Amino acid sequence: MSKVTYFSGETFPLEMHKVRIIQKLTLLPIEERLRAIEEAGYNTFLLQNKDVFLDMLTDSGVNAMSDRQQAAMLTADDAYAGSATFARLHAKLNDFFGTRYFLPAHQGRAAEHILAKHFVKPGTLVATNYHFTTTKQHITALGGEVVELVDHAGVEVVSDNRFKGNVDVAAFERLVAERGAANFAFFRMEAGTNLIGGQPYSLANLRAVSEICHREGIPLVMDASLLADNLYFIKTREPECADWDIHDIVLAMANLCDVIYFSARKLGFGRGGGIVTNDQALYEQMRAWVPMYEGFLTYGGMSVREMEAITVGLDETLDEDMINQGPLFIAHFVTEMDKRGIPVVTPPGGLGAHVDAMRFLDHVDQRQYPSGALAAAVYLASGVRGMERGTLSEQREPDGSERISDMELLRLALPRRVFTLSQIQYAVDRIFWLYSNRQIVGGLKWVEEPEILRFFYGRLTPVGDWQHELVAKFREDFGDSL
Ligand code: F0G
């Protein structure tokens, strides 16, 4: 929690930085927001950013950079091969994770591509605490199967479990016994588990998983894209680590894994990604794919400026005053919604605030995509752009039937160091208004449904005419206010 307590007894987050560059925003009238969301096929991915007031779609590649990052970008050494910038990033990663080898990639999913090509064969399985969309796509496209082993608490929306990203270790033991260790391509531990609300796992749980993996010869891969939030939660929620330095937590985690990959669009407040390991043979085998898909080994699709920014960003990830910004603002956002009765995922995680669309729109069938409908309705009500994380984000089963998601969430991501407390208060106010009028909102149906990653490009339309009714109610309640 924040190191500052207040005389009034209130609690609110406090920025340990100041803002020195700003970008002007536009808040369109609701009628224009209606035009924009219609043009976007009721899919917030297809909105133009100029039509968005607060962009809470993602924290990927949109975190604010620090003065030190910007300064480092000016010192970048531009070279195709052997740039000093790459050497600096490589040395920083070695130090950060305690590893020796680094394969650069243009972003997280490119690292997943290389890992999947190396490890996944048809019929193999990848066990994971919880899947991520792009990871699953890479694994299944190569004939692999993804098995989720998150502890049951992970998929309970309301919980007081502080490590909802933990693996059910007994279920992992059972799976090994049933399927045989040799059939595992690898085990994937996703830090700050994205699709269940940015929820962390504990160091103790990672230790238990690592023990089984190493006993059974199953490679343990960590997805460290959302590591920063997970580190903060381990430090503040796991008594064993309360007095540990953040870097000691990173080293202890890394030491339990065979391979670590990351999206630097999240980790390191930059853009890019990569894979690190201490296994020389593995490094040499995976290396072959980098020049083929990403670029030469000393840039892997990243610009030298991005690499300099990541190098500094990794230092900032070890600064508790920097990595607490996400979790503290998110906790405030979640608590303010919770106080007003808006159903939210608890305890607050990293990445963003997550609204439970299953309860918010409990009158909308999951086959009419309540979280997609809620994302569109929140945009209409506020100009805030969130992201659907529910059935729409799933792939259909091979027989074409709908795969119904465990959770229906609207994710309101908080890019680090970007939004102010008053902007969060505005979002809470408008979402509260929408919650008070939730009966108006109906479901969505497909107009165009792509076969792969349908949530990115798919176009939908409301079931019925709820969008016009919502606009009319907004005007009735708010007059000519934006
Ligand atoms: N792993 C996790 C846990 C992620 O959250 C992401 C991206 C990736 C891998 C892929 O990385 O985007 O650099 O290719 N998550 C973004 C999001 C897209 O909005 O949650 P990438």
Side-chain angles (χ1 to χ4, degrees), residues 120 124-128 139 145-148 184-188:
V120 178
T124 57
L125 63 135
V126 173
T128 179
I139 294 163
E145 181 192 349
V146 175
V147 182
E148 284 164 349
F184 282 69
F186 57 87
F187 193 105
R188 172 177 174 275

Side-chain angles (χ1 to χ4, degrees), residues 369 391-392 394-397 400-403 445-455 457-460:
Y369 314 115
T391 300
L392 243 168
E394 296 283 350
Q395 287 168 238
R396 283 190 188 266
E397 302 289 4
S401 64
E402 195 73 83
R403 187 188 175 97
K445 59 183 180 203
W446 290 107
V447 175
E448 267 174 58
E449 182 184 350
E451 212 172 299
I452 292 176
L453 296 174
R454 61 184 185 174
F455 60 93
Y457 325 110
R459 305 185 72 82
L460 301 102

Side-chain angles (χ1 to χ4, degrees), residues 71-82:
M73 288 168 91
L74 291 177
T75 66
D77 177 30
D78 228 334
Y80 186 93

Side-chain angles (χ1 to χ4, degrees), residues 332 334-342 344:
H332 181 80
V334 168
T335 310
E336 290 298 306
M337 287 196 277
D338 200 24
K339 270 197 237 167
R340 290 161 177 78
I342 300 165
V344 281

